Amino acid sequence: MSARRLPSGGRIDRSQVIRFTWDDRAMSGHPGDSLASALMANGEQVLGRSFKYHRPRGVMSAGVEESGAMVTVGEGARQDPNVKAPMQELFNGLTATGQNAWPNVRFDFGEVNDMLGRFLVAGFYYKTFMGIPPFEWGKGTGAWMWYEKFIRKAAGMGSASREADPDHYEHGHDFCDLLVVGSGPAGMSSALAAAEAGLDVMLIEQDWELGGSFLSQTGSESKNRCADMVASLNNAGVRIMLRTTAFGLYDYGVAGLLERVTDHLQNPDRYQPRQRFWNIRAKQTILASGALERHIAFGNNDRPGVMNAAAGRAYVNRYGVLPGERVVVATNNDSAYKCAIDLACAGADVTLLDARSTLPGELAEQAGEAGVSLRTNTVPLKAKGRSSVNGLELAVVSGSGWRARGAESCDAVLVSGGWSPVVHLMSHRGVKPKWDSENACFLAPSRHETIQMAGSAAGYWRAADCELSGIAAGSVAASALGKKAKTLVLPPIGGWDLAIKPVYEIRVPGKKLKCLVDPQHDVTAEDIRLAHREGFVSVEHLKRYTTLGMATDGGKMGNVIGLALMAEALGREIPEVGTTTFRPPYTPVSIGALRGRSVDKHFRPLRRTPMHDWNLSHGATMTMAGLWHRPWYFARLSETISEAYVRETETTRKTVGLCDVTSLGKIAVQGPDATEFLNRIYTNPFAKLPIGKARYGIMLRDDGFVMDDGTTWRLSETEYFMTTTTAHAGKVMVWLEELLQTRWQDLKVHVTSVSEQWAGCAVAGPESRKVLAACVEDASVMDNEAFPFMGVIETKLQGGIPCRIARISFSGELAYETYVPSDYAAAMMDLLWPKAEQSGGCLYGLEALGAMRIEKGHVTGAELDGRVTIEDAGLGKMASPKKSFIGSALRSRPDMTREDRPKLVGIFPKDRSQTFNAGAILCSVDQVSGLGEGWITGVTHSPAKGHWIGIGFISGGHQAWAEKTAIAADPVRKGDVEVEIVSPHMYDPSGEKMYG
Amino acid sequence: MIRIKCPFCGERDHSEFTYGGDASIVYPALDAPAEEWHEAVFMRENIRGMQTETWHHVNGCRMWLIVQRDTMTHEIRSVRPAHEGLASVLEDDQ
Amino acid sequence: MVDRISALDGHYQSGRFGTDGDTDVGLQLIRDLQLQQVAAWPDTIKKAADAAAKAAGADEAPAPGKAISGERGAILRSEPLKWWLVGVDSMQIDSGQGAVLDLSHSRTQIRITGPKSTTLLNRLLPLDLRDTNFREGAVASSAMHHVGVTLWHSASGYELFIPRGFALSIWEILFESALQFGVEVV
């Protein structure tokens, strides 16, 4: 006989039927059911197979600690493994399957592992597959790699879908005065007290209904009490979040929440995220997170039909499911009496075993009246039956231990081994819970930082006391935030009529039993003792060796029993052994929720230039440069990237090319002390830069290495326009702000990023002047004399578009950088491009830009990697000997000025038909090993040279390598290539073209 | 997550800020000898407890702040603008 | 003079989108933003504040975290020594007293309205937008999807200023997040 649905009672709606499937079989339930209650009502007993031994498992609890009914919900891409059936709300169309079994959970070939149990003890894989010493020293890894595949397949939980997640997720942020975790009697009353005192309160409940332990109580009184409180909470404006788990508590009152938005819906609105990850910042926090009932380690205590007593009560009272007809309730404390009474009243034949020698008077009387048979000094020894429990061997007190005596026939065993307050969230704050021997549980301090514990989470066992402690905590929170609130005198914690008798494991001499401590990971009491025999003394080591508490329940089921057994083995008390640290998350959080919307195209924000669409409509293939999307090349017809960039380079050098350079960093430097400021940050003199001129400048870091380079344009007496490299734009801006705000507070200078304000186009090549002259309103401003090299003008393009132009060159040709306000970018390109086209010009992208700058020996972020001095970059002349600047003191350190430092060079393949890769290591011919003599940072085909060239660094620079051959070593790609080292200025070294 | 009480913006998540460094360093004059600069740039205490450090409110008001923070507990004792002129401006604003 | 092309042009479609039922969010691109930044020195802040207030046609310049609407435009206190003049096309100030900078093209302005506008913003923005904290006239800068943004609670709704290069990316994520509320793109 198994569980059955009662004709009446519970919080389910029998007038409506919910259809779902379990292992491809159609079943039904009612609104208000959990998957576990519905499966029980359908007579299903074996719902899972255990991790290691493939032991049959049924429902063991009614909550997050579930370690038996772990199932897979959903199909295909939405297959979600390891769902705890008691936590899954039933809905129409739900599809669930058993897992970790073949062919199914009811008949599983893997069950053979259970017979082999003695070979599969704690740490078996370390011992068995790591190689047999001393013959296989060092060979173990290989063996393990081989065996691991099979072990992984045989052991474990459900499997995830291999398909991409079709759902979307999102984040949310919120703020409140008080965050209350848990909506049982304590949580609801604390939320109410605080809200009535004027606080903005958020109440978080992981269940789909408010009420906590109210939900599994009988009688209209508690039902009404619960309903009244819910109504009051709504009236008081408490913000309630259902189906939401507070999984972590962090500094400064920050809580991490997981809201399951659509996991309970058959046809969710496709615009709703599946789950939402919340960041809540609360001024005060109350943890009314309840307590979890412990089991007892007795023989086969994981058989289907064995569950905790509170769960039995929940199934009867909340779900209208009677767990069995002949029920044995085994307890060591008062709490299970209510369960026994409720089951007896619901029609079960109930026997209650109390491990204690006396009975709690009033409770025992009530139980007796309800027809429960009571026994003292009696505990369960071993569950009988395999796929379901059909009897229970018993043990009775014998001295300080137990001895076997008698048996009961039964179809359900409900166990209460005491209660563990949920102190997890407080533990996240770095607080070690302390053992309370009177109540046999770990308790967190009632207050820490701005956090309070309330209700059974604080160790109150009576509902009335829980409510009181909730009101008190709510009042404390209110007064802490300056609200008037009454102070309450709290009852002492605990509250049982008769003290608990600590019972963790039942052993009798001469009987071998499989007593599960952590059923989810198949850790037995014997495993704990084995670990002790093998020398493990710290609980943290014990945990990792036996994997106790490392399953998806995070030790909610078995931790305390494990610690107690370890303490016993060590001959110590539990407080001396201590407990392991609870860390977030309290219950599993999907990776999808953590990533939120930062996925696919939103993996990172995309930064577009104002010419983005213009570039695309003119044939650009784009590439990423940091967050920027930039044109890579503009292929014509069927051109490859190489053909395209070579053509673009040739065309630009011959006529004219246009290139989107908007991504360069741009900073407005304004103020009476702007000149002095620039003079301090750049290595070269800026004090005498005239208005209407630009200057190339290099900035060092404090330690003397190069930070960035760029041109700075003087627009007026007190205003400059600074450009930086694309890569370092943000860093330079922050650095300038730091200098002005921390070191040079006397300077009247403002820096503001104008990178987004201005769109830039490089117009490069011999025809560039002509093209621009045809586009500006007044062509005379472009005259060579009026607008010399490094000149700056502010003028207008046709149509009245304001623009600023500087005659600067990255390509080595006659060239200009033209900037207009961003919203006019397309208009600028529409002016420039027809004129450039008329001159036989082209659009060019990053690849051609790179080719031309490599030919010229200009450095970029690839060279300025933070390890390069200004001399290394071949720009030593840019460092003024006449002034001090940032980095001037430390750049003169001996190691920074060594002659044999790697210096910027050009690189030619010795055989000109050859090529090599960026990233290759430069070595001398006789020693192609180790760190080499240098490295290659950029490679391009040079149309000007007619062969491949590179740029990079090598010890001593090109003079030291004149007439010598070097090796570009690239062992995993191209192999070794012989190269010549040349001056980095490989194209037009005298700059005739630029100045022309 | 640390929350930092910016004197301009109010209390904000630390994700809006970037960490700067040791705020107790007094950087020498630009023309000071290399030894002084070496001392300022490279020599750092690894403090266990209250530390004075700079933070930049980069996704906020862009102020550089001086923060006293306990490296063990993340407790923040005080936050003020690094720039004294800004500090007095904000005091006047209150 | 040629027309300005916004960062959203070519990607902006007006209409009703998202879930059936109520339309709880409105999104609107505010075109042709005029934005002048006024920066003061610590010892000239009062004079610069007066000049900014005058340029916007307001009685005074706002305190930190605040905005004031004047006859010609609104003033937002964006940084300790800086104000933003929204809707003002130019302004002069003596360089000894401060500095003016045209940022009109640097930001894309999106207006967010409707009963769920706060909820929508808080899906992406870690700011306390509760009525007790962020009433009309409030201004704050923060980060949305890693991008620094400025939010102003104006008389018309929330005005979000996004760096132009990121505007489309942020618009897309904002729009996608708004679908669950029913959204009208104006």
Side-chain angles (χ1 to χ4, degrees):
Chain A
M1 190 58 211
S2 60
R4 68 174 162 97
R5 181 82 77 187
L6 295 166
S8 65
R11 304 177 73 91
I12 51 165
D13 176 5
R14 285 180 178 76
S15 68
Q16 291 183 57
V17 173
I18 288 178
R19 311 250 169 233
F20 70 103
T21 60
W22 164 247
D23 268 353
D24 296 326
R25 289 177 296 152
M27 300 199 173
S28 67
H30 301 291
D33 258 328
S34 70
L35 176 59
S37 68
L39 286 168
M40 285 168 70
N42 280 274
E44 291 297 307
Q45 286 181 314
V46 181
L47 302 177
R49 286 281 165 169
S50 74
F51 182 68
K52 203 156 76 171
Y53 301 127
H54 290 247
R55 289 163 70 87
R57 292 280 166 80
V59 174
M60 302 176 99
S61 75
V64 291
E65 72 274 35
E66 179 61 31
S67 292
M70 315 259 301
V71 303
T72 297
V73 169
E75 295 171 296
R78 289 196 167 83
Q79 175 178 320
D80 196 9
N82 308 330
V83 173
K84 293 162 179 70
M87 298 305 291
Q88 174 65 52
E89 198 172 346
L90 199 67
F91 60 86
N92 256 315
L94 182 148
T95 308
T97 47
Q99 59 186 38
N100 197 32
W102 186 85
N104 63 53
V105 290
R106 291 166 298 284
F107 181 81
D108 172 22
F109 279 112
E111 199 167 338
V112 66
N113 282 6
D114 203 16
M115 318 297 159
L116 303 175
R118 67 192 198 89
F119 302 110
L120 299 175
V121 293
F124 78 95
Y125 37 82
Y126 303 123
K127 296 167 185 162
T128 316
F129 301 113
M130 292 301 193
I132 304 161
F135 311 106
E136 295 181 359
W137 282 125
K139 292 180 186 166
T141 314
W144 169 244
M145 301 293 262
W146 193 79
Y147 286 118
E148 193 194 16
K149 290 196 280 285
F150 300 96
I151 291 169
R152 286 219 183 281
K153 199 168 163 60
M157 308 272 181
S159 46
S161 167
R162 290 262 171 195
E163 292 171 53
D165 190 340
D167 292 310
H168 69 278
Y169 302 79
E170 71 178 5
H171 289 184
H173 300 274
D174 217 330
F175 297 77
C176 60
D177 293 335
L178 172 65
L179 180 77
V180 179
V181 178
S183 71
M188 288 208 281
S189 54
S190 64
L192 200 53
E196 283 171 349
L199 298 192
D200 174 22
V201 182
M202 290 179 81
L203 177 61
I204 311 303
E205 174 53 57
Q206 66 190 358
D207 202 291
W208 56 90
E209 244 189 303
L210 291 180
S213 62
F214 275 133
L215 301 178
S216 46
Q217 288 171 17
T218 44
S220 54
E221 203 180 319
S222 69
K223 224 172 224 175
N224 292 341
R225 176 101 190 103
C226 182
D228 286 351
M229 287 184 88
V230 172
S232 309
L233 289 169
N234 283 316
N235 285 338
V238 171
R239 296 189 275 156
I240 295 167
M241 293 180 79
L242 292 176
R243 302 182 182 93
T244 304
T245 305
F247 65 78
L249 213 54
Y250 307 88
D251 295 290
Y252 290 84
V254 175
L257 268 48
L258 181 74
E259 181 187 7
R260 292 169 293 276
V261 183
T262 66
D263 284 347
H264 63 292
L265 299 174
Q266 179 180 19
N267 295 310
D269 180 349
R270 67 189 172 100
Y271 299 113
Q272 287 287 342
R274 179 181 167 224
Q275 296 175 346
R276 203 174 275 132
F277 163 57
W278 286 93
N279 253 299
I280 309 293
R281 295 96 180 147
K283 292 191 181 123
Q284 296 278 322
T285 305
I286 293 174
L287 302 177
S289 39
L292 298 172
E293 196 169 28
R294 288 198 297 268
H295 65 132
I296 296 170
F298 60 89
N300 293 343
N301 58 337
D302 60 332
R303 286 286 182 248
V306 181
M307 65 174 75
N308 68 47
R313 195 170 181 221
Y315 287 111
V316 168
N317 293 336
R318 180 174 179 184
Y319 300 108
V321 172
L322 192 64
E325 304 296 335
R326 285 189 52 80
V327 180
V328 175
V329 177
T331 188
N332 63 347
N333 67 86
D334 288 0
S335 70
Y337 279 77
K338 292 273 188 205
C339 164
I341 292 165
D342 291 350
L343 263 80
C345 293
D349 181 354
V350 183
T351 302
L352 188 142
L353 316 177
D354 197 322
R356 299 172 291 186
S357 54
T358 47
L359 295 174
E362 204 180 318
L363 279 170
E365 242 167 69
Q366 289 171 13
E369 282 164 21
V372 176
S373 345
L374 298 166
R375 294 198 203 172
T376 54
N377 288 324
T378 311
V379 290
L381 177 63
K382 185 185 177 188
K384 298 203 276 191
R386 178 143 194 100
S387 295
S388 64
V389 62
N390 58 24
L392 187 66
E393 293 176 23
L394 306 179
V396 293
V397 169
S398 167
S400 62
W402 308 96
R403 66 186 162 83
R405 196 176 75 183
E408 274 291 313
S409 104
C410 62
D411 56 3
V413 179
L414 307 183
V415 185
S416 179
W419 290 81
S420 297
V422 176
V423 296
H424 295 62
L425 292 175
M426 192 64 116
S427 180
H428 295 173
R429 298 300 313 117
V431 179
K432 279 264 178 199
K434 286 205 171 66
W435 182 253
D436 179 305
S437 52
E438 197 178 322
N439 289 289
C441 65
F442 281 102
L443 286 177
S446 58
R447 273 189 91 174
H448 174 72
E449 296 171 350
T450 56
I451 309 160
Q452 299 179 74
M453 306 294 299
S456 58
Y460 293 100
W461 307 136
R462 292 170 188 268
D465 289 356
C466 287
E467 277 192 46
L468 262 180
S469 92
I471 294 167
S475 303
V476 167
S479 356
L481 297 178
K483 306 285 183 190
K484 273 207 189 104
K486 53 191 167 211
T487 42
L488 288 180
V489 183
L490 278 173
I493 61 159
W496 282 319
D497 292 344
L498 188 61
I500 184 173
K501 171 177 180 169
V503 174
Y504 302 105
E505 186 198 2
I506 313 298
R507 274 202 289 167
V508 295
K511 200 162 171 102
K512 280 200 119 176
L513 297 169
K514 199 162 236 174
C515 307
L516 274 297
V517 174
D518 180 343
Q520 216 176 102
H521 258 175
D522 273 349
V523 180
T524 65
E526 199 48 50
D527 286 329
I528 310 275
R529 281 187 285 275
L530 178 69
H532 167 254
R533 286 200 299 278
E534 292 181 353
F536 291 87
V537 291
S538 146
V539 288
E540 295 287 356
H541 294 160
L542 169 80
K543 164 182 166 177
R544 282 155 186 85
Y545 187 61
T546 60
T547 73
L548 169 76
M550 289 171 71
T552 69
D553 71 325
K556 293 182 187 73
M557 279 289 269
N559 253 19
V560 170
I561 300 179
L563 296 173
L565 296 185
M566 191 66 178
E568 186 195 293
L570 290 166
R572 286 197 245 155
E573 296 296 317
I574 291 177
E576 297 172 58
V577 176
T579 177
T580 54
T581 309
F582 295 114
R583 293 193 178 81
Y586 174 65
T587 48
V589 177
S590 63
I591 301 291
L594 294 177
R595 72 186 179 171
R597 291 192 186 271
S598 301
V599 66
D600 299 332
K601 72 172 174 178
H602 294 306
F603 182 67
R604 52 189 156 202
L606 181 64
R607 203 171 182 185
R608 293 167 172 91
T609 79
M611 284 89 114
H612 186 85
D613 290 342
W614 194 95
N615 288 323
L616 286 178
S617 66
H618 288 77
T621 300
M622 307 299 277
T623 185
M624 298 295 291
L627 296 177
W628 287 101
H629 247 192
R630 296 188 65 179
W632 193 5
Y633 56 92
F634 292 81
R636 286 184 179 167
L637 299 171
S638 57
E639 272 181 343
T640 63
I641 172 171
S642 312
E643 290 162 353
Y645 88 80
V646 167
R647 173 185 50 74
E648 289 165 18
T649 306
E650 281 172 334
T651 309
T652 302
R653 294 224 185 279
K654 205 164 81 194
T655 57
V656 63
L658 306 180
C659 181
D660 180 356
V661 293
T662 305
S663 67
L664 291 178
K666 298 173 281 290
I667 297 169
V669 183
Q670 296 173 293
D673 296 321
T675 307
E676 169 63 18
F677 177 58
L678 292 172
N679 210 36
R680 292 186 195 179
I681 58 168
Y682 280 125
T683 62
N684 46 332
F686 266 76
K688 289 183 181 126
L689 181 67
I691 296 169
K693 278 288 213 176
R695 186 162 287 173
Y696 174 69
I698 291 182
M699 296 178 197
L700 306 187
R701 304 187 307 219
D702 278 332
D703 62 5
F705 287 100
V706 176
M707 176 185 244
D708 196 48
D709 69 342
T711 58
T712 292
W713 315 6
R714 187 162 198 179
L715 303 177
S716 78
E717 191 60 34
T718 56
E719 181 160 355
Y720 291 82
F721 179 74
M722 173 190 285
T723 66
T724 73
T725 59
T726 300
H728 295 156
K731 192 169 81 177
V732 170
M733 179 69 197
V734 167
W735 171 235
L736 301 184
E737 286 171 319
E738 180 177 4
L739 290 173
L740 287 168
Q741 291 185 39
T742 67
R743 293 196 207 172
W744 301 332
Q745 300 185 1
D746 55 323
L747 291 187
K748 284 187 170 177
V749 178
H750 276 296
V751 287
T752 306
S753 169
V754 287
S755 296
E756 302 285 352
Q757 168 73 12
W758 297 95
C761 178
V763 186
E767 301 288 325
S768 56
R769 184 185 290 129
K770 196 174 108 191
V771 167
L772 270 171
C775 295
V776 291
E777 284 193 341
D778 175 7
S780 69
V781 298
M782 296 305 300
D783 287 350
N784 191 28
E785 295 71 36
F787 196 178
F789 185 63
M790 297 311 272
V792 173
I793 58 167
E794 291 187 89
T795 183
K796 281 194 165 131
L797 297 182
Q798 283 167 14
I801 302 170
C803 80
R804 47 179 69 158
I805 309 175
R807 185 171 156 190
I808 46 185
S809 176
F810 196 51
S811 57
E813 301 298 330
L814 171 69
Y816 302 85
E817 274 177 21
T818 310
Y819 290 95
V820 297
S822 295
D823 284 356
Y824 299 128
M828 167 174 70
M829 297 310 287
D830 282 338
L831 277 175
L832 292 171
W833 175 230
K835 304 295 178 200
E837 232 180 347
Q838 279 166 26
S839 301
C842 70
L843 301 167
Y844 68 96
L846 209 50
E847 201 64 25
L849 186 88
M852 288 188 271
R853 73 98 186 168
I854 293 172
E855 288 180 329
K856 248 336 245 187
H858 283 159
V859 289
T860 64
E863 287 74 36
L864 305 181
D865 64 357
R867 301 178 296 173
V868 168
T869 69
I870 194 166
E871 281 84 7
D872 296 346
L875 298 165
K877 282 186 203 146
M878 298 273 303
S880 168
K882 293 190 189 132
K883 65 163 190 176
S884 301
F885 48 87
I886 289 282
S888 62
L890 292 181
R891 67 181 278 268
S892 58
R893 285 177 289 160
D895 213 55
M896 309 270 284
T897 50
R898 267 185 14 237
E899 271 306 304
D900 62 345
R901 283 183 65 83
K903 290 187 163 54
L904 188 76
V905 293
I907 301 142
F908 290 172
K910 192 153 177 134
D911 169 355
R912 296 288 196 258
S913 68
Q914 286 257 32
T915 179
F916 42 79
N917 280 324
I921 303 295
L922 293 171
C923 300
S924 59
V925 177
D926 50 0
Q927 198 182 354
V928 186
S929 64
L931 298 174
E933 300 284 339
W935 60 94
I936 297 176
T937 53
V939 175
T940 185
H941 185 271
S942 164
K945 290 281 161 199
H947 60 81
W948 287 86
I949 61 171
I951 190 169
F953 293 86
I954 195 165
S955 304
H958 67 95
Q959 290 91 346
W961 291 78
E963 314 295 320
K964 277 199 254 179
T965 300
I967 300 292
D970 194 4
V972 295
R973 294 182 297 184
K974 279 199 86 74
D976 295 350
V977 178
E978 289 191 330
V979 295
E980 286 172 23
I981 305 298
V982 299
S983 157
H985 310 295
M986 292 168 271
Y987 175 78
D988 185 29
S990 61
E992 268 169 51
K993 289 173 182 284
M994 218 159 52
Y995 301 116
Chain B
M1 174 158 55
I2 300 177
R3 302 257 302 155
I4 298 173
K5 203 164 185 178
C6 171
F8 183 79
C9 302
E11 194 176 69
R12 298 292 184 85
D13 287 4
H14 77 219
S15 58
E16 290 183 6
F17 300 80
T18 48
Y19 180 76
D22 187 340
S24 69
I25 305 291
V26 179
Y27 285 88
L30 291 177
D31 58 0
E35 292 70 29
E36 280 183 39
W37 273 97
H38 173 85
E39 199 65 30
V41 173
F42 297 113
M43 305 314 279
R44 289 287 185 280
E45 298 291 325
N46 188 8
I47 293 168
R48 183 184 190 274
M50 206 47 85
Q51 169 168 286
T52 308
E53 56 200 20
T54 58
W55 287 76
H56 185 216
H57 200 179
V58 63
N59 281 318
C61 64
R62 299 200 69 97
M63 245 200 307
W64 276 88
L65 304 170
I66 293 178
V67 176
Q68 280 186 297
R69 181 184 63 102
D70 192 311
T71 58
M72 287 294 289
T73 62
H74 283 328
E75 180 205 334
I76 289 177
R77 187 178 290 164
S78 71
V79 184
R80 62 187 166 88
H83 193 292
E84 283 165 24
L86 292 187
S88 60
V89 163
L90 291 176
E91 267 163 35
D92 291 349
D93 264 321
Q94 297 312 314
Chain C
M1 188 74 179
V2 295
D3 286 340
R4 289 172 61 172
I5 294 179
S6 116
L8 303 189
D9 277 313
H11 307 271
Y12 186 86
Q13 199 191 344
S14 53
R16 166 70 172 69
F17 303 92
T19 193
D20 296 336
D22 295 339
T23 302
D24 285 336
V25 168
L27 294 176
Q28 183 182 7
L29 167 69
I30 306 297
R31 292 176 178 281
D32 297 339
L33 170 66
Q34 296 289 348
L35 176 60
Q36 306 297 317
Q37 176 180 276
V38 185
W41 318 117
D43 58 351
T44 64
I45 185 151
K46 289 200 166 61
K47 282 183 178 156
D50 290 344
K54 206 173 141 205
D59 293 337
E60 54 173 346
K66 296 282 178 269
I68 291 178
S69 292
E71 286 165 15
R72 283 179 289 279
I75 321 179
L76 282 57
R77 182 78 173 269
S78 55
E79 292 180 24
L81 294 176
K82 289 176 181 171
W83 290 274
W84 278 5
L85 303 184
V86 176
V88 177
D89 62 2
S90 70
M91 187 193 146
Q92 301 294 321
I93 195 166
D94 181 78
S95 71
Q97 286 183 12
V100 175
L101 189 65
D102 185 0
L103 295 176
S104 301
H105 293 244
S106 70
R107 300 294 196 286
T108 300
Q109 182 182 355
I110 289 168
R111 179 171 296 158
I112 300 141
T113 54
K116 291 287 185 189
S117 52
T118 307
T119 311
L120 167 65
L121 281 166
N122 271 144
R123 292 287 150 82
L124 298 158
L125 206 53
L127 287 176
D128 185 353
L129 301 178
R130 288 177 296 169
D131 287 341
T132 46
N133 192 59
F134 204 78
R135 293 190 197 91
E136 188 184 321
V139 172
S141 293
S142 180
M144 186 180 261
H145 196 49
H146 314 290
V147 175
V149 296
T150 299
L151 186 71
W152 165 34
H153 195 166
S154 77
S156 313
Y158 289 108
E159 316 286 344
L160 184 67
F161 298 93
I162 311 164
R164 195 191 188 286
F166 289 113
L168 182 54
S169 199
I170 298 298
W171 166 263
E172 286 170 344
I173 204 165
L174 200 57
F175 175 77
E176 287 161 21
S177 304
L179 291 172
Q180 61 191 295
F181 305 112
V183 54
E184 177 85 36
V185 178
V186 182

